[in-house]
Amino acid sequence: LTGRLRLSPQWAIRAGVGIFSQPPEYTETAPGLGTPGLGVIHAVHTGLGVDFRVPEFHLVFQVDGFYKHIQDRVVAAQSGQSPRFVNEGLGRIYGLEVAARIEPGGPLPLFGFLSYTLMRSERQDHPGDEWRLFDFDQTHIFTLALVWEIGAGFELGATFRLVSGNPYTPVVGAVNDLSAGVYRPIYGSTNSARNPLFNRLDVRLQKRFDIGDVDLYLYV
């Protein structure tokens, strides 16, 4: 269920809530590999946002808060227990996004958007366990995309992304296994370290040709 309340030509409030479910993976329920009869996974998504529009410049500013609660996640049973998998896991993802958008048709030959998201995604595998990060948690997500309509059918666009590296479990030491002749790693807390920031820049130059009723695009 989603809704939008227009307070004035400039201001609007948006809200939404959704209830979702999905079945376990095949390998988690296959006989001999997993636990047949596992229940489905459930999630509730909620969001609340505010829009501010500047019509004369075709600008839109947005602030959104969101929260997602996951229950009945499929997790490995605790050591020594049977069955192999159980629906005991919980999850929570929450954060805030700030965005600005330039819509086509404004006084400048530009359109695109800028957004920044501050987010945290955590999981609890069994009742009483400590919460820890999901493997794909990304604290900071920054995106900038802009297109310049040069004229004469030419467009120049670019997209830049800067994202926090995914967490991982670090190796903090090792033990020499003399019987096997190898060193066994000693791991730190699960997902307590993080990979470096990921960044990516894409640039595109495009030319449009109008050939009768056909548009031909060439791009690099």
Side-chain angles (χ1 to χ4, degrees), residues 19-212:
I19 300 174
F20 302 87
S21 62
Q22 70 180 45
E25 298 292 336
Y26 171 74
T27 54
E28 294 170 339
T29 58
L33 294 176
T35 304
L38 282 173
V40 298
I41 306 161
H42 298 94
V44 178
H45 298 214
T46 61
L48 179 64
V50 178
D51 296 346
F52 177 70
R53 183 178 295 272
V54 187
E56 58 270 29
F57 294 105
H58 288 233
L59 286 173
V60 181
F61 299 94
Q62 298 176 313
V63 178
D64 288 272
F66 56 89
Y67 180 82
K68 174 181 177 182
H69 177 77
I70 308 171
Q71 63 186 40
D72 303 320
R73 287 181 46 250
V74 176
V75 295
Q78 291 179 317
S79 179
Q81 292 185 352
S82 182
R84 185 174 181 182
F85 294 104
V86 292
N87 289 99
E88 290 187 354
L90 297 176
R92 59 189 184 192
I93 297 98
Y94 51 93
L96 182 73
E97 180 179 82
V98 181
R101 188 170 71 251
I102 306 175
E103 298 176 335
L108 298 176
L110 298 172
F111 63 90
F113 69 91
L114 169 70
S115 69
Y116 168 71
T117 303
L118 178 65
M119 180 178 66
R120 190 170 181 85
S121 54
E122 300 173 317
R123 56 185 284 175
Q124 184 188 59
D125 290 346
H126 303 284
D129 286 357
E130 292 186 0
W131 289 88
R132 63 179 178 87
L133 294 178
F134 273 103
D135 292 346
F136 297 101
D137 173 73
Q138 296 174 330
T139 306
H140 305 285
I141 304 174
F142 175 83
T143 305
L144 172 63
L146 199 62
V147 176
W148 174 28
E149 297 177 313
I150 301 173
F154 283 98
E155 284 186 356
L156 179 64
T159 301
F160 177 71
R161 294 181 60 214
L162 184 66
V163 183
S164 296
N166 291 338
Y168 68 93
T169 302
V171 176
V172 296
V175 174
N176 189 0
D177 187 342
L178 297 177
S179 61
V182 297
Y183 281 90
R184 305 291 185 186
I186 300 174
Y187 292 99
S189 299
T190 303
N191 286 347
S192 59
R194 192 176 289 276
N195 287 299
L197 283 170
F198 164 83
N199 63 84
R200 172 171 174 167
L201 174 65
D202 295 291
V203 180
R204 173 188 176 110
L205 177 64
Q206 175 180 285
K207 166 65 176 172
R208 186 187 75 251
F209 297 90
D210 298 323
I211 308 172

